[in-house]
Amino acid sequence: MAQDLADINDAEIYAVGSRSLDRARAFADTYQIPQAFGSYQELAACDELDVIYIATPHDGHYENTLMCLGNKKAVLCEKPLAINGRQVIQMVEESRQQQVFLMEAIWTRFLPQTHYLLDVIRQGMIGEVHSVKADFGFPAPYDPEGRLFNPDLGGGALLDIGIYPLFLSLLILGKPSGIKASAVMAPTGVDIEHGVLLNYGTNACAHLHATLRNQTRSEAFIYGTEGYIQIHTRWHEPPGTVTLVRRNERPVVKDFPDSSNGYRHEALEVMDCLQRGKIESDQLPHQFSRDLMELLDAVRVRMGLVYPQDQG
Ligand SMILES: NC(=O)c1ccc[n+]([C@@H]2O[C@H](COP(=O)([O-])OP(=O)(O)OC[C@H]3O[C@@H](n4cnc5c(N)ncnc54)[C@H](OP(=O)(O)O)[C@@H]3O)[C@@H](O)[C@H]2O)c1
């Protein structure tokens, strides 16, 4: 993100916050950032800032976001927006009450390849959409204390990477009427791998898979009555390649090269929203994040995955 912001004309990273002043200073030195703070509280209180990008582990998002919004600072918060739906509802309410911008940093939503596939679907080029199939997997070294496997930090494949296939299904098909999920648990009790099946009445279904123990193809397919769209590996990030296959026609392959790290697109959306005085993005509105977290919660119930944050 810091590298991408450096390439945006109207953006400036004015300050960075860390739990350690030494780490904040080291980061500030690397990216020529004028201010370094040794606590998140000091960063949230800094009057020079228009917006704060929160990139702490999942379990910090709720508290960090409420603190920033409470200090009247707009927030771009990494995915997942929080650990559960209850937290997301409170965060959205705080944004509305304070009239301060809040957006979940689902970078995939803003990539050119995503705009293209939505256009293709909107124009009816693959007909009526009947299914979405997506996966995301890589082997993560097992560290019971690290954020990927530690339940206290919201560990597990679902919140870290399973969120992407679920995001795609929600973007294209909306909220499902039926949800089935099954998971393999790590020794820490969080899911190391899971499968999710969603249905939308008789209209459509989604087949989703994520794993922290194997490299998978990490591709997405959207199937319709007139053809299908393939988003090539790794489908959720740039640069993108998308193939459109229509019945009885030659496949059309489109490349979406990207000289940025991919965070540029969401950053531009945040800047545009702030310039217009908006408190949410039309492309990724508060309701979308609420629906996505509701879906994640429902999948977790079926997996039997409970986090400490769910109590009370
Ligand atoms: N959009 C994307 O492409 C993308 C990619 C990767 C990750 N993410 C999201 O970004 C978030 C951070 O992921 P990450 O892999 O960057 O995490 P990370 O390296 O483990 O942590 C990022 C920073 O959070 C701070 N932190 C605060 N509380 C912490 C705690 N209890 N344990 C460890 N660090 C803590 C640390 O900074 P200080 O100690 O200096 O304060 C740390 O450097 C996650 O929510 C993840 O889902 C998004």
Side-chain angles (χ1 to χ4, degrees), residues 22-71:
D22 284 348
R23 282 200 296 275
R25 284 197 176 131
F27 192 91
D29 287 348
T30 306
Y31 294 102
Q32 291 90 49
I33 298 169
Q35 281 278 359
F37 294 113
S39 76
Y40 299 158
Q41 289 81 353
E42 287 171 273
L43 180 77
C46 174
D47 282 335
E48 312 299 320
L49 305 177
D50 296 318
V51 56
I52 295 178
Y53 169 54
I54 295 175
T56 51
H58 312 338
D59 70 303
H61 295 175
Y62 168 69
E63 210 178 289
N64 299 157
T65 295
L66 290 183
M67 183 173 66
C68 294
L69 293 173
N71 279 272

Side-chain angles (χ1 to χ4, degrees), residues 1 4 76 78-79 103-112 114 136 164 167 234 236-238 260-267 284:
M1 177 61 95
D4 280 4
L76 172 66
E78 266 304 340
K79 40 57 62 175
M103 190 180 95
E104 185 173 5
I106 304 186
W107 61 332
T108 311
R109 174 64 187 87
F110 305 97
L111 299 177
T114 304
F136 190 173
Y164 284 105
F167 151 78
R234 294 191 331 168
H236 77 293
E237 67 183 10
S260 78
N261 294 320
Y263 301 97
R264 173 188 177 84
H265 310 283
E266 64 182 357
L284 201 81

